[in-house]
Amino acid sequence: MIIEVKPGEIGGIVEAPSSKSFTQRYVLYSAFSGKPVTLRNISYCDDELIAIDIAKSCNAHIEYQKRDIKITPDFKCPKKIYVGESGTSYRLSLGLLAGRKCTTEISGKPALAKRPVEDLISCLENTGSIFYKNSEGFYKIDATNSGNVYCTLNASKSSQFASAMLFYYSFFKSACFGIDSMVSEKYMDITVKTLEDFGINIKRENNNFIIDGYLKSKNDIHIEGDYSSASYFMVLGIFTGNILIKNLKKNSLQPDSGIIKILNDAAGCIEIFDDYIKINKAYEIKTVVVDVSATPDFAPVASVIGIFSKNGVIIKNYQRLEIKESNRYLNILDMVEKFGGIAEIKDDFMFIHPGGIKNPDTLIYSDHRMVMSAIIAGIIAGSKTRYGDIEAINKSYPSFLNDLKKLGADIRFNTEI
């Protein structure tokens, strides 16, 4: 599908969609652990739907009521699961399947098979699981002989490896595993919170995670709003002002909640309340500094600030962008050039700053975060750019276009370029 977006007069109120990082963890752990739960405020993005389908493959019964789901698990090892292009569901499922001693064939979209998973598999092999790689690059797991064996994990490519191993060891009454190194470490806080809500007590001593004892389990959980999804309208609001975003928990565990500090350090224009934020127009924007190791999903839309603000944006550790849903490093360079920005590449950072504003006729990206970032860039530029592969945004933010319309953008749908 192709859309054309005209800026309009921007301003108004939107509600952040559910955090798919939380949703996927709760859905999958409920299904595999046999612990029922009601989850409220689900946005039904593609990644959340993948987790729900995996739960169904494990014989869980799902009841739907508007934006709430009730999961009643009756666990059976699935013969097959489909992980789509959800790296989170894929990696977490590996740990869960091994923990439940399943023999399961995994399939998904080809692009996901190219993303790293080998260090996680190596750790699971050390605990007794056997993996067979198929021609598509996915695996069949035979975890019949998996056991409570200490493993030291290299999570330098993804914190999801560590989350998967924490899920794995949670099926033992007492267990421990070590971490050699880990990126985006704060995502482990979300995993620990999930397990604690299901009654699993987690301790950390230096580089070891320890499962020890039980807590009171919750069975009714509200999924908080997603900061990475909200960041598109935060960036837009810096240039337009008058945007209020609801459903954002003030003291969130989400690593991307740090986006507010990044933007306030540079622009000082975001007001923070208990469950919403207000973005005012910034009349001066200092250089924005983003570390991909800490907030990787913020890089595409942060680069938009660099295109239009004189002091630019520094993106550290940009090399990690090459192994996301797409090669976001190359896509960011393309988007910056198409809108007239300049990207200077250094050894460990890229510096994006203005050149002369351009108005591209058509942009097509297959990556959801690139599509949404390009649309925000087009509104700020005042362009009449058309955007292709618009369905990609359903991966994380299916209501994005509706929310954009609420804020005053004029969106016209076409079926052809």
Side-chain angles (χ1 to χ4, degrees), residues 103-303:
T103 298
T104 304
E105 183 94 28
I106 301 167
S107 63
K109 291 192 175 182
L112 179 57
K114 298 177 183 179
R115 296 177 64 183
V117 74
E118 291 77 17
D119 290 324
L120 170 58
I121 286 175
S122 177
C123 198
L124 290 170
E125 286 177 331
N126 288 338
T127 67
S129 293
I130 301 172
F131 290 86
Y132 306 92
K133 193 172 186 177
N134 64 28
S135 60
E136 302 297 324
F138 289 100
Y139 292 86
K140 179 178 180 180
I141 178 174
D142 179 355
T144 307
N145 296 315
S146 65
N148 189 0
V149 180
Y150 182 88
C151 171
T152 300
L153 172 72
N154 180 353
S156 61
K157 292 181 180 177
S158 175
S159 64
Q160 292 169 357
F161 298 172
S163 291
M165 292 309 302
L166 196 52
F167 275 8
Y168 171 80
Y169 285 105
S170 72
F171 292 106
F172 301 98
K173 291 182 179 179
S174 178
C176 176
F177 76 101
I179 299 291
D180 182 29
S181 58
M182 181 163 51
V183 293
S184 304
E185 190 168 338
K186 286 185 176 294
Y187 280 97
M188 280 298 284
D189 294 338
I190 296 177
T191 306
V192 170
K193 174 67 164 58
T194 300
L195 286 170
E196 288 178 343
D197 283 346
F198 280 109
I200 309 297
N201 189 37
I202 311 294
K203 298 178 182 177
R204 183 169 184 181
E205 295 180 1
N206 299 318
N207 291 327
N208 285 320
F209 283 90
I210 302 166
I211 289 88
D212 182 24
Y214 297 98
L215 305 169
K216 185 177 180 181
S217 182
K218 295 182 180 180
N219 57 17
D220 195 307
I221 295 168
H222 177 89
I223 303 295
E224 62 185 73
D226 186 66
Y227 273 87
S228 59
S229 295
S231 67
Y232 302 101
F233 297 131
M234 293 183 204
V235 169
L236 180 60
I238 285 176
F239 292 92
T240 66
N242 194 31
I243 293 178
L244 190 148
I245 307 173
K246 300 169 64 176
N247 192 35
L248 289 177
K249 187 177 179 181
K250 185 175 182 179
N251 296 312
S252 174
L253 293 176
Q254 295 176 58
D256 284 347
S257 64
I259 291 170
I260 290 182
K261 184 179 186 308
I262 293 171
L263 294 178
N264 263 344
D265 284 349
C269 62
I270 300 179
E271 299 178 65
I272 306 167
F273 301 90
D274 286 341
D275 60 356
Y276 69 92
I277 62 172
K278 182 181 179 184
I279 304 95
N280 303 303
K281 184 175 181 177
Y283 292 96
E284 180 182 0
I285 306 174
K286 301 174 184 176
T287 302
V288 176
V289 180
V290 179
D291 188 339
V292 173
S293 295
T295 54
D297 292 335
F298 183 46
V301 73
S303 67

Side-chain angles (χ1 to χ4, degrees), residues 392-406:
I393 65 176
N394 292 328
K395 178 174 170 61
S396 61
Y397 197 167
S399 63
F400 175 77
L401 293 180
N402 285 335
D403 287 347
L404 201 56
K405 289 174 70 175
K406 289 179 184 177

Side-chain angles (χ1 to χ4, degrees), residues 364-409:
I364 300 176
Y365 299 110
S366 61
D367 185 320
H368 59 126
R369 299 198 188 279
M370 290 305 309
V371 176
M372 290 185 282
S373 298
I375 290 173
I376 296 301
I379 292 173
I380 295 169
S383 73
K384 297 179 181 179
T385 303
R386 293 180 294 175
Y387 305 90
D389 282 359
I390 205 68
E391 296 89 349
I393 65 176
N394 292 328
K395 178 174 170 61
S396 61
Y397 197 167
S399 63
F400 175 77
L401 293 180
N402 285 335
D403 287 347
L404 201 56
K405 289 174 70 175
K406 289 179 184 177
L407 293 176

